[in-house]
Amino acid sequence: MRVLVTGGAGFIGSNLCERLLASGNEVLCMDNFYTGSKNNIKEFLDNPSFEVIRHDISVPFNIEADFIVNLACPASVPHYQKDPLKTMKDNVFGIFNVMENARRLKIPVLHTSTSEVYGSPSVHPQPENYNGNVNPVSIRSCYDEGKRAAETILFDYNRQYKTEIKVIRVFNTYGPKMLENDGRVVSNFIVQALKGEDLTVYGNGKQTRSFCYVSDLIDGIILFMNDKSGFNGPVNMGNNYEFTIEDFAKLVLSVTGSKSKLKFIDLPKDDPIQRNPDLTIAKKMLGYNPKVSIDEGLKKTAEYFKKIVKI
Ligand code: UDP
């Protein structure tokens, strides 16, 4: 089948393109290269089943495809906050443009939403029926509320036009093809550890996150793409092994064998204090089961960064 992957040159997008090509699909990769990288897709350029379209999804487009996976949006905190109005446009105008193609072609859309729809959660771990604790006027709202609005638009296309939708809420994911300057905790800590710089722990480091290796998330996306049960989600995907950020920093030091120290600096505004996916629905409806241990995932990610980072 021919799959349009929006955000196909990004971290998750390029890992998905690789998997789709390996299983015999044609891939149309759409990216505006705002945070996507040509390096992430250069290995596919000689593959006749791979095409790249330089385009911004917030601008209308017409394509021919059998399936759309929507991943286009700057996703790390510093990148989505750099131009917040653009982030909102990518989420809202972008999903309208995606859904209009899906409606015209009568094809399914798998959309990657986010754990950020739960805001700073007061229910822990977060099940899908928890409606979240989101501030509409915070510096994170362009992403949180943008992604919430996108979910609303998807479900209204489904109710109004019967467009087939599959909505995943992605929890913190890491792995090869992340940007060195992404600003996410995993890439920051690994790059700092490799360079022998202090690891910048924000706040007191007691906030928690649960980290999913990218191949596990891709497994989940493929399971959902292939699911014929009519299940629309939303469904959490990630790994539910939870760490405090301080403990996670220590783990990165141990896995990389780095002698760096921890440096505690100010906590960014509205940083959620805890996050952990309830994976009951993903397991039950899709047989999703993340397999890669954090040690193994961090080792593979550190190997990747050793190749691309100037030490
Ligand atoms: N964080 C940190 N040091 C960094 C980057 C992030 O301590 O250099 C913390 C951040 O405050 C948050 C957690 O790590 O509590 C995860 O941050 P990230 O930006 O990776 O993702 P988020 O889950 O906040 O979107």
Side-chain angles (χ1 to χ4, degrees):
M1 107 179 137
R2 184 188 294 159
V3 185
L4 171 68
V5 181
T6 70
F11 157 50
I12 295 172
S14 55
N15 277 284
L16 178 64
C17 290
E18 182 174 355
R19 185 74 72 86
L20 290 171
L21 289 168
S23 47
N25 297 286
E26 278 180 52
V27 173
L28 288 181
C29 163
M30 183 179 283
D31 212 294
N32 64 353
F33 297 102
Y34 183 71
T35 54
S37 157
K38 289 185 183 165
N39 272 334
N40 283 347
I41 54 169
K42 63 173 191 252
E43 69 209 78
F44 316 136
L45 293 176
D46 290 337
N47 186 332
S49 297
F50 184 75
E51 286 173 71
V52 192
I53 307 164
R54 186 182 190 113
H55 185 79
D56 185 320
I57 62 152
S58 67
V59 176
F61 60 88
N62 271 299
I63 45 90
E64 301 301 322
D66 305 305
F67 200 110
I68 303 176
V69 181
N70 184 39
L71 286 147
C73 186
S76 73
V77 178
H79 287 147
Y80 74 63
Q81 289 180 346
K82 200 166 146 203
D83 187 347
L85 294 171
K86 173 74 180 117
T87 299
M88 187 54 102
K89 283 182 191 166
D90 291 343
N91 278 309
V92 176
F93 298 174
I95 200 67
F96 271 112
N97 294 330
V98 164
M99 296 312 290
E100 279 304 307
N101 276 277
R103 182 185 164 202
R104 174 176 55 84
L105 296 165
K106 299 188 174 42
I107 59 170
V109 174
L110 185 147
H111 172 74
T112 49
S113 186
T114 170
S115 54
E116 288 281 329
V117 299
Y118 301 118
S120 190
S122 52
V123 171
H124 195 71
Q126 294 80 56
E128 289 83 350
N129 64 2
Y130 171 54
N131 290 335
N133 175 30
V134 182
N135 174 357
V137 294
S138 127
I139 53 171
R140 290 177 90 105
S141 310
C142 59
Y143 189 72
D144 300 11
E145 296 286 24
K147 288 281 187 182
R148 286 169 71 94
E151 287 197 15
T152 308
I153 294 163
L154 279 142
F155 276 84
D156 280 333
Y157 265 85
N158 177 256
R159 284 185 283 255
Q160 207 166 321
Y161 298 121
K162 309 279 176 270
T163 312
E164 193 182 335
I165 59 163
K166 295 166 186 275
V167 177
I168 297 178
R169 293 179 176 157
V170 177
F171 282 65
N172 296 68
T173 297
Y174 70 99
K177 298 197 171 181
M178 292 180 97
L179 291 177
E180 180 186 349
N181 68 351
D182 198 40
R184 286 189 176 100
V185 71
V186 180
S187 43
N188 278 6
F189 283 179
I190 293 180
V191 170
Q192 289 160 343
L194 294 177
K195 288 184 169 173
E197 295 169 358
D198 290 347
L199 272 56
T200 50
V201 178
Y202 299 164
N204 61 11
K206 301 292 180 234
Q207 71 272 36
T208 71
R209 295 292 188 274
S210 317
F211 298 101
C212 179
Y213 189 66
V214 65
S215 62
D216 282 330
L217 178 71
I218 301 296
D219 287 347
I221 291 177
I222 300 289
L223 282 169
F224 205 2
M225 284 178 76
N226 292 336
D227 178 60
K228 302 282 183 247
S229 71
F231 174 57
N232 301 125
V235 57
N236 292 335
M237 271 185 203
N239 192 312
N240 54 7
Y241 198 77
E242 186 176 355
F243 286 88
T244 68
I245 293 301
E246 181 180 8
D247 286 345
F248 183 65
K250 290 176 186 160
L251 181 67
V252 170
L253 293 181
S254 121
V255 167
T256 54
S258 168
K259 303 235 173 332
S260 293
K261 305 263 176 300
L262 308 191
K263 180 168 83 178
F264 291 83
I265 61 176
D266 285 349
L267 187 69
K269 208 165 167 327
D270 293 323
D271 196 278
I273 50 171
Q274 55 184 8
R275 185 183 290 154
N276 188 5
D278 182 330
L279 297 176
T280 311
I281 291 183
K283 286 183 182 167
K284 185 169 157 240
M285 297 302 294
L286 302 170
Y288 173 74
N289 192 16
K291 298 187 280 285
V292 180
S293 71
I294 189 79
D295 287 56
E296 188 188 345
L298 282 178
K299 271 187 205 138
K300 287 184 178 164
T301 311
E303 286 310 313
Y304 165 76
F305 277 116
K306 270 184 206 159
K307 284 189 218 136
I308 66 159
V309 170
K310 287 205 183 82
I311 300 172

mmCIF file of all heavy atoms in Angstrom, residues 165-196:
data_model
loop_
_atom_site.group_PDB
_atom_site.id
_atom_site.type_symbol
_atom_site.label_atom_id
_atom_site.label_comp_id
_atom_site.label_asym_id
_atom_site.label_seq_id
_atom_site.Cartn_x
_atom_site.Cartn_y
_atom_site.Cartn_z
ATOM 1 N N ILE A 165 -10.555 6.654 11.582
ATOM 2 C CA ILE A 165 -9.461 7.278 12.340
ATOM 3 C C ILE A 165 -8.884 6.303 13.364
ATOM 4 O O ILE A 165 -9.586 5.417 13.854
ATOM 5 C CB ILE A 165 -9.928 8.562 13.068
ATOM 6 C CG1 ILE A 165 -11.078 8.232 14.045
ATOM 7 C CG2 ILE A 165 -10.333 9.643 12.078
ATOM 8 C CD1 ILE A 165 -11.317 9.312 15.092
ATOM 9 N N LYS A 166 -7.602 6.516 13.644
ATOM 10 C CA LYS A 166 -6.906 5.729 14.657
ATOM 11 C C LYS A 166 -6.021 6.732 15.421
ATOM 12 O O LYS A 166 -5.108 7.311 14.825
ATOM 13 C CB LYS A 166 -6.031 4.657 13.994
ATOM 14 C CG LYS A 166 -6.853 3.599 13.237
ATOM 15 C CD LYS A 166 -5.962 2.764 12.325
ATOM 16 C CE LYS A 166 -6.788 1.813 11.465
ATOM 17 N NZ LYS A 166 -7.114 0.544 12.132
ATOM 18 N N VAL A 167 -6.314 6.933 16.691
ATOM 19 C CA VAL A 167 -5.614 7.989 17.442
ATOM 20 C C VAL A 167 -4.756 7.377 18.556
ATOM 21 O O VAL A 167 -5.270 6.678 19.433
ATOM 22 C CB VAL A 167 -6.629 8.995 18.042
ATOM 23 C CG1 VAL A 167 -5.911 10.054 18.876
ATOM 24 C CG2 VAL A 167 -7.451 9.646 16.937
ATOM 25 N N ILE A 168 -3.463 7.682 18.481
ATOM 26 C CA ILE A 168 -2.513 7.202 19.501
ATOM 27 C C ILE A 168 -2.062 8.395 20.344
ATOM 28 O O ILE A 168 -1.756 9.454 19.798
ATOM 29 C CB ILE A 168 -1.252 6.596 18.840
ATOM 30 C CG1 ILE A 168 -1.614 5.367 18.009
ATOM 31 C CG2 ILE A 168 -0.195 6.237 19.880
ATOM 32 C CD1 ILE A 168 -0.421 4.749 17.305
ATOM 33 N N ARG A 169 -1.987 8.214 21.640
ATOM 34 C CA ARG A 169 -1.357 9.225 22.507
ATOM 35 C C ARG A 169 0.041 8.726 22.851
ATOM 36 O O ARG A 169 0.203 7.787 23.637
ATOM 37 C CB ARG A 169 -2.196 9.442 23.770
ATOM 38 C CG ARG A 169 -3.530 10.086 23.444
ATOM 39 C CD ARG A 169 -4.385 10.298 24.670
ATOM 40 N NE ARG A 169 -5.619 10.999 24.309
ATOM 41 C CZ ARG A 169 -6.738 10.967 25.016
ATOM 42 N NH1 ARG A 169 -6.775 10.297 26.154
ATOM 43 N NH2 ARG A 169 -7.811 11.633 24.615
ATOM 44 N N VAL A 170 1.019 9.378 22.247
ATOM 45 C CA VAL A 170 2.410 8.941 22.382
ATOM 46 C C VAL A 170 3.009 9.516 23.671
ATOM 47 O O VAL A 170 2.960 10.732 23.887
ATOM 48 C CB VAL A 170 3.244 9.416 21.167
ATOM 49 C CG1 VAL A 170 4.705 9.021 21.331
ATOM 50 C CG2 VAL A 170 2.666 8.867 19.866
ATOM 51 N N PHE A 171 3.567 8.644 24.495
ATOM 52 C CA PHE A 171 4.308 9.074 25.699
ATOM 53 C C PHE A 171 5.797 9.156 25.343
ATOM 54 O O PHE A 171 6.228 8.627 24.320
ATOM 55 C CB PHE A 171 4.055 8.087 26.844
ATOM 56 C CG PHE A 171 2.717 8.291 27.523
ATOM 57 C CD1 PHE A 171 1.533 8.083 26.840
ATOM 58 C CD2 PHE A 171 2.645 8.704 28.847
ATOM 59 C CE1 PHE A 171 0.291 8.287 27.449
ATOM 60 C CE2 PHE A 171 1.416 8.915 29.470
ATOM 61 C CZ PHE A 171 0.235 8.704 28.778
ATOM 62 N N ASN A 172 6.571 9.775 26.211
ATOM 63 C CA ASN A 172 7.998 10.054 25.933
ATOM 64 C C ASN A 172 8.687 8.891 25.219
ATOM 65 O O ASN A 172 8.742 7.783 25.765
ATOM 66 C CB ASN A 172 8.739 10.346 27.244
ATOM 67 C CG ASN A 172 8.227 11.599 27.918
ATOM 68 O OD1 ASN A 172 7.098 11.631 28.398
ATOM 69 N ND2 ASN A 172 9.047 12.636 27.960
ATOM 70 N N THR A 173 9.192 9.183 24.037
ATOM 71 C CA THR A 173 9.829 8.158 23.203
ATOM 72 C C THR A 173 11.227 8.653 22.822
ATOM 73 O O THR A 173 11.443 9.859 22.671
ATOM 74 C CB THR A 173 8.949 7.898 21.965
ATOM 75 O OG1 THR A 173 7.690 7.387 22.419
ATOM 76 C CG2 THR A 173 9.561 6.889 21.022
ATOM 77 N N TYR A 174 12.172 7.717 22.701
ATOM 78 C CA TYR A 174 13.555 8.100 22.419
ATOM 79 C C TYR A 174 14.187 7.049 21.510
ATOM 80 O O TYR A 174 13.661 5.935 21.364
ATOM 81 C CB TYR A 174 14.364 8.209 23.730
ATOM 82 C CG TYR A 174 14.600 6.865 24.372
ATOM 83 C CD1 TYR A 174 15.806 6.184 24.201
ATOM 84 C CD2 TYR A 174 13.587 6.231 25.094
ATOM 85 C CE1 TYR A 174 16.009 4.922 24.748
ATOM 86 C CE2 TYR A 174 13.782 4.974 25.645
ATOM 87 C CZ TYR A 174 14.987 4.325 25.471
ATOM 88 O OH TYR A 174 15.175 3.070 25.987
ATOM 89 N N GLY A 175 15.333 7.412 20.935
ATOM 90 C CA GLY A 175 16.053 6.439 20.130
ATOM 91 C C GLY A 175 16.822 7.117 19.015
ATOM 92 O O GLY A 175 16.854 8.356 18.916
ATOM 93 N N PRO A 176 17.456 6.309 18.157
ATOM 94 C CA PRO A 176 18.213 6.853 17.038
ATOM 95 C C PRO A 176 17.357 7.753 16.154
ATOM 96 O O PRO A 176 16.158 7.515 16.004
ATOM 97 C CB PRO A 176 18.658 5.601 16.264
ATOM 98 C CG PRO A 176 18.669 4.524 17.293
ATOM 99 C CD PRO A 176 17.559 4.849 18.244
ATOM 100 N N LYS A 177 17.992 8.764 15.603
ATOM 101 C CA LYS A 177 17.395 9.781 14.721
ATOM 102 C C LYS A 177 16.759 10.937 15.488
ATOM 103 O O LYS A 177 16.153 11.809 14.873
ATOM 104 C CB LYS A 177 16.432 9.177 13.695
ATOM 105 C CG LYS A 177 17.148 8.184 12.753
ATOM 106 C CD LYS A 177 16.383 7.882 11.509
ATOM 107 C CE LYS A 177 17.266 7.074 10.549
ATOM 108 N NZ LYS A 177 16.608 6.745 9.295
ATOM 109 N N MET A 178 16.902 10.951 16.820
ATOM 110 C CA MET A 178 16.550 12.183 17.535
ATOM 111 C C MET A 178 17.589 13.236 17.154
ATOM 112 O O MET A 178 18.744 12.910 16.881
ATOM 113 C CB MET A 178 16.654 11.996 19.059
ATOM 114 C CG MET A 178 15.639 11.084 19.642
ATOM 115 S SD MET A 178 15.869 10.956 21.443
ATOM 116 C CE MET A 178 14.683 12.148 21.998
ATOM 117 N N LEU A 179 17.165 14.493 17.191
ATOM 118 C CA LEU A 179 18.114 15.571 16.928
ATOM 119 C C LEU A 179 19.015 15.785 18.141
ATOM 120 O O LEU A 179 18.553 15.695 19.278
ATOM 121 C CB LEU A 179 17.375 16.884 16.664
ATOM 122 C CG LEU A 179 16.576 17.016 15.375
ATOM 123 C CD1 LEU A 179 15.864 18.358 15.363
ATOM 124 C CD2 LEU A 179 17.492 16.885 14.164
ATOM 125 N N GLU A 180 20.270 16.114 17.862
ATOM 126 C CA GLU A 180 21.207 16.412 18.955
ATOM 127 C C GLU A 180 20.716 17.609 19.779
ATOM 128 O O GLU A 180 20.839 17.631 20.998
ATOM 129 C CB GLU A 180 22.588 16.713 18.342
ATOM 130 C CG GLU A 180 23.638 17.027 19.360
ATOM 131 C CD GLU A 180 24.955 17.458 18.718
ATOM 132 O OE1 GLU A 180 25.123 17.315 17.484
ATOM 133 O OE2 GLU A 180 25.816 17.954 19.461
ATOM 134 N N ASN A 181 20.135 18.602 19.095
ATOM 135 C CA ASN A 181 19.697 19.826 19.793
ATOM 136 C C ASN A 181 18.191 19.829 20.040
ATOM 137 O O ASN A 181 17.570 20.873 20.150
ATOM 138 C CB ASN A 181 20.064 21.065 18.966
ATOM 139 C CG ASN A 181 19.256 21.137 17.679
ATOM 140 O OD1 ASN A 181 18.556 20.187 17.331
ATOM 141 N ND2 ASN A 181 19.348 22.251 16.974
ATOM 142 N N ASP A 182 17.615 18.632 20.128
ATOM 143 C CA ASP A 182 16.172 18.489 20.284
ATOM 144 C C ASP A 182 15.677 19.160 21.559
ATOM 145 O O ASP A 182 14.567 19.686 21.605
ATOM 146 C CB ASP A 182 15.875 16.980 20.345
ATOM 147 C CG ASP A 182 14.428 16.679 20.064
ATOM 148 O OD1 ASP A 182 13.862 17.320 19.180
ATOM 149 O OD2 ASP A 182 13.872 15.824 20.761
ATOM 150 N N GLY A 183 16.478 19.102 22.621
ATOM 151 C CA GLY A 183 16.094 19.712 23.897
ATOM 152 C C GLY A 183 15.361 18.756 24.806
ATOM 153 O O GLY A 183 15.009 19.099 25.929
ATOM 154 N N ARG A 184 15.082 17.532 24.325
ATOM 155 C CA ARG A 184 14.414 16.554 25.201
ATOM 156 C C ARG A 184 15.432 15.995 26.184
ATOM 157 O O ARG A 184 16.639 15.994 25.936
ATOM 158 C CB ARG A 184 13.843 15.408 24.375
ATOM 159 C CG ARG A 184 12.608 15.751 23.579
ATOM 160 C CD ARG A 184 12.071 14.446 23.022
ATOM 161 N NE ARG A 184 10.828 14.615 22.314
ATOM 162 C CZ ARG A 184 10.751 14.683 20.986
ATOM 163 N NH1 ARG A 184 11.833 14.649 20.238
ATOM 164 N NH2 ARG A 184 9.572 14.784 20.407
ATOM 165 N N VAL A 185 14.901 15.458 27.278
ATOM 166 C CA VAL A 185 15.803 15.029 28.339
ATOM 167 C C VAL A 185 16.734 13.896 27.871
ATOM 168 O O VAL A 185 17.920 13.893 28.224
ATOM 169 C CB VAL A 185 15.010 14.651 29.610
ATOM 170 C CG1 VAL A 185 14.218 13.358 29.443
ATOM 171 C CG2 VAL A 185 15.918 14.558 30.810
ATOM 172 N N VAL A 186 16.230 12.962 27.081
ATOM 173 C CA VAL A 186 17.077 11.812 26.719
ATOM 174 C C VAL A 186 18.253 12.275 25.856
ATOM 175 O O VAL A 186 19.419 11.937 26.130
ATOM 176 C CB VAL A 186 16.261 10.726 25.984
ATOM 177 C CG1 VAL A 186 17.151 9.556 25.620
ATOM 178 C CG2 VAL A 186 15.090 10.254 26.832
ATOM 179 N N SER A 187 17.962 13.059 24.817
ATOM 180 C CA SER A 187 19.052 13.510 23.953
ATOM 181 C C SER A 187 19.988 14.459 24.715
ATOM 182 O O SER A 187 21.216 14.349 24.610
ATOM 183 C CB SER A 187 18.507 14.160 22.682
ATOM 184 O OG SER A 187 17.427 15.011 22.986
ATOM 185 N N ASN A 188 19.427 15.373 25.519
ATOM 186 C CA ASN A 188 20.297 16.270 26.296
ATOM 187 C C ASN A 188 21.261 15.482 27.173
ATOM 188 O O ASN A 188 22.477 15.718 27.148
ATOM 189 C CB ASN A 188 19.461 17.181 27.213
ATOM 190 C CG ASN A 188 18.904 18.387 26.485
ATOM 191 O OD1 ASN A 188 19.030 18.509 25.273
ATOM 192 N ND2 ASN A 188 18.280 19.282 27.227
ATOM 193 N N PHE A 189 20.723 14.535 27.969
ATOM 194 C CA PHE A 189 21.570 13.810 28.931
ATOM 195 C C PHE A 189 22.618 12.959 28.207
ATOM 196 O O PHE A 189 23.787 12.933 28.609
ATOM 197 C CB PHE A 189 20.715 12.915 29.846
ATOM 198 C CG PHE A 189 19.983 13.648 30.956
ATOM 199 C CD1 PHE A 189 19.161 12.949 31.842
ATOM 200 C CD2 PHE A 189 20.114 15.020 31.133
ATOM 201 C CE1 PHE A 189 18.484 13.599 32.875
ATOM 202 C CE2 PHE A 189 19.438 15.688 32.152
ATOM 203 C CZ PHE A 189 18.612 14.975 33.024
ATOM 204 N N ILE A 190 22.218 12.266 27.145
ATOM 205 C CA ILE A 190 23.202 11.402 26.466
ATOM 206 C C ILE A 190 24.301 12.258 25.843
ATOM 207 O O ILE A 190 25.494 11.956 25.992
ATOM 208 C CB ILE A 190 22.529 10.506 25.402
ATOM 209 C CG1 ILE A 190 21.607 9.488 26.082
ATOM 210 C CG2 ILE A 190 23.573 9.785 24.548
ATOM 211 C CD1 ILE A 190 20.892 8.553 25.131
ATOM 212 N N VAL A 191 23.915 13.337 25.177
ATOM 213 C CA VAL A 191 24.924 14.186 24.522
ATOM 214 C C VAL A 191 25.847 14.806 25.580
ATOM 215 O O VAL A 191 27.078 14.823 25.426
ATOM 216 C CB VAL A 191 24.240 15.267 23.638
ATOM 217 C CG1 VAL A 191 25.236 16.299 23.146
ATOM 218 C CG2 VAL A 191 23.514 14.600 22.460
ATOM 219 N N GLN A 192 25.255 15.289 26.684
ATOM 220 C CA GLN A 192 26.080 15.871 27.756
ATOM 221 C C GLN A 192 27.020 14.819 28.337
ATOM 222 O O GLN A 192 28.209 15.090 28.563
ATOM 223 C CB GLN A 192 25.170 16.449 28.857
ATOM 224 C CG GLN A 192 24.440 17.720 28.427
ATOM 225 C CD GLN A 192 23.207 18.043 29.279
ATOM 226 O OE1 GLN A 192 22.672 17.187 29.998
ATOM 227 N NE2 GLN A 192 22.728 19.280 29.176
ATOM 228 N N ALA A 193 26.508 13.605 28.549
ATOM 229 C CA ALA A 193 27.342 12.535 29.124
ATOM 230 C C ALA A 193 28.503 12.200 28.180
ATOM 231 O O ALA A 193 29.644 12.036 28.619
ATOM 232 C CB ALA A 193 26.495 11.292 29.388
ATOM 233 N N LEU A 194 28.217 12.134 26.891
ATOM 234 C CA LEU A 194 29.277 11.783 25.928
ATOM 235 C C LEU A 194 30.332 12.880 25.839
ATOM 236 O O LEU A 194 31.518 12.608 25.649
ATOM 237 C CB LEU A 194 28.681 11.537 24.532
ATOM 238 C CG LEU A 194 27.759 10.316 24.386
ATOM 239 C CD1 LEU A 194 27.184 10.247 22.969
ATOM 240 C CD2 LEU A 194 28.483 9.020 24.721
ATOM 241 N N LYS A 195 29.889 14.130 25.990
ATOM 242 C CA LYS A 195 30.834 15.256 25.896
ATOM 243 C C LYS A 195 31.542 15.539 27.223
ATOM 244 O O LYS A 195 32.375 16.435 27.302
ATOM 245 C CB LYS A 195 30.086 16.527 25.465
ATOM 246 C CG LYS A 195 29.640 16.509 24.009
ATOM 247 C CD LYS A 195 29.006 17.847 23.658
ATOM 248 C CE LYS A 195 28.783 17.963 22.156
ATOM 249 N NZ LYS A 195 28.026 19.159 21.785
ATOM 250 N N GLY A 196 31.154 14.823 28.290
ATOM 251 C CA GLY A 196 31.765 15.067 29.599
ATOM 252 C C GLY A 196 31.259 16.349 30.243
ATOM 253 O O GLY A 196 31.890 16.896 31.151
#
